[in-house]
Amino acid sequence: AEAARAEQTSQARAGLPSPLSPFIGRARERAELRDAIRARRQVTAVGPGGVGKTRLALAVAGDLAGDFQDGVWFVDLVPVTDPAMVGSAVAAALGLGEQQGRSIDDSVLAALADRRALLVLDNCEHLPDGVAPFVERLLAACPYLSVLTTSRARLLVPFEGVYPVPPLSLEGHDLTGAAIEERK
């Protein structure tokens, strides 16, 4: 219970959605993904639907919140249907409005230009034509920004680090694995 409270506090402090249940297992994957984000500016957690990419990304973003002094933002791209609207979804997460004489994408770039921040873009698989060029522009214009994306397939962004998210383990037949714990 204490670990769950600490996780929720970390998530809230970082501006991430609070989990409805504690994060169970995946200590190795959590550490590997943290290390990957510290080593690369853009990492995509890839795997099939339902494998736990979002939960893992949220847990890792919460873990790393202290490393990014200017913030951690989470953007759920499920409701976005137009690839041209990726920047608008990010702007909404950042609390940015339209600025006269500047496109919404340019407003996002300007807002993040000098920030040491982590941006988590979740569910990118249905918008590769919008996410990939947007992330490329972000990384080129924002030298201190890191981007963690989740997708069923890699984004094919230059210098993209890819982290394959494995299914939860069953660890034997005595029903003690992380997949069983997650269901309890």
Side-chain angles (χ1 to χ4, degrees):
E2 191 173 310
R5 269 194 303 280
E7 181 177 342
Q8 286 181 333
T9 300
S10 172
Q11 302 283 84
R13 198 174 349 143
L16 300 169
S18 293
L20 298 175
S21 60
F23 190 80
I24 296 172
R26 293 202 186 264
R28 180 179 52 80
E29 292 92 340
R30 202 167 171 169
E32 289 172 352
L33 187 53
R34 272 194 314 263
D35 291 345
I37 294 166
R38 286 178 175 141
R40 301 187 96 115
R41 291 186 52 219
Q42 200 277 314
V43 176
T44 301
V46 296
V51 78
K53 298 178 298 290
T54 299
R55 287 294 304 266
L56 180 61
L58 283 170
V60 168
D63 292 347
L64 292 173
D67 292 3
F68 294 96
Q69 65 194 34
D70 295 320
V72 176
W73 287 278
F74 178 82
V75 183
D76 182 5
L77 294 176
V78 166
V80 179
T81 57
D82 181 354
M85 298 305 291
V86 170
S88 294
V90 174
L94 296 173
L96 298 175
E98 291 189 34
Q99 298 174 358
Q100 191 169 0
R102 196 182 256 177
S103 73
I104 198 73
D105 287 7
D106 288 339
S107 295
V108 170
L109 295 174
L112 295 174
D114 294 324
R115 291 195 178 182
R116 294 187 187 283
L118 174 64
L119 182 63
V120 181
L121 301 176
D122 190 37
N123 294 295
C124 298
E125 58 271 346
H126 67 289
L127 298 165
D129 295 337
V131 174
F134 184 76
V135 168
E136 281 187 63
R137 285 187 66 205
L138 272 176
L139 295 174
C142 309
Y144 308 112
L145 181 71
S146 292
V147 180
L148 170 59
T149 55
T150 70
S151 181
R152 293 181 185 182
R154 59 181 300 176
L155 297 177
L156 302 175
V157 175
F159 309 109
E160 173 184 29
V162 177
Y163 182 80
V165 179
L168 286 171
S169 69
L170 287 175
E171 294 178 17
H173 300 36
D174 62 354
L175 302 180
T176 61
I180 301 301
E181 285 298 314
E182 185 68 26
R183 288 286 184 203
K184 290 183 181 175

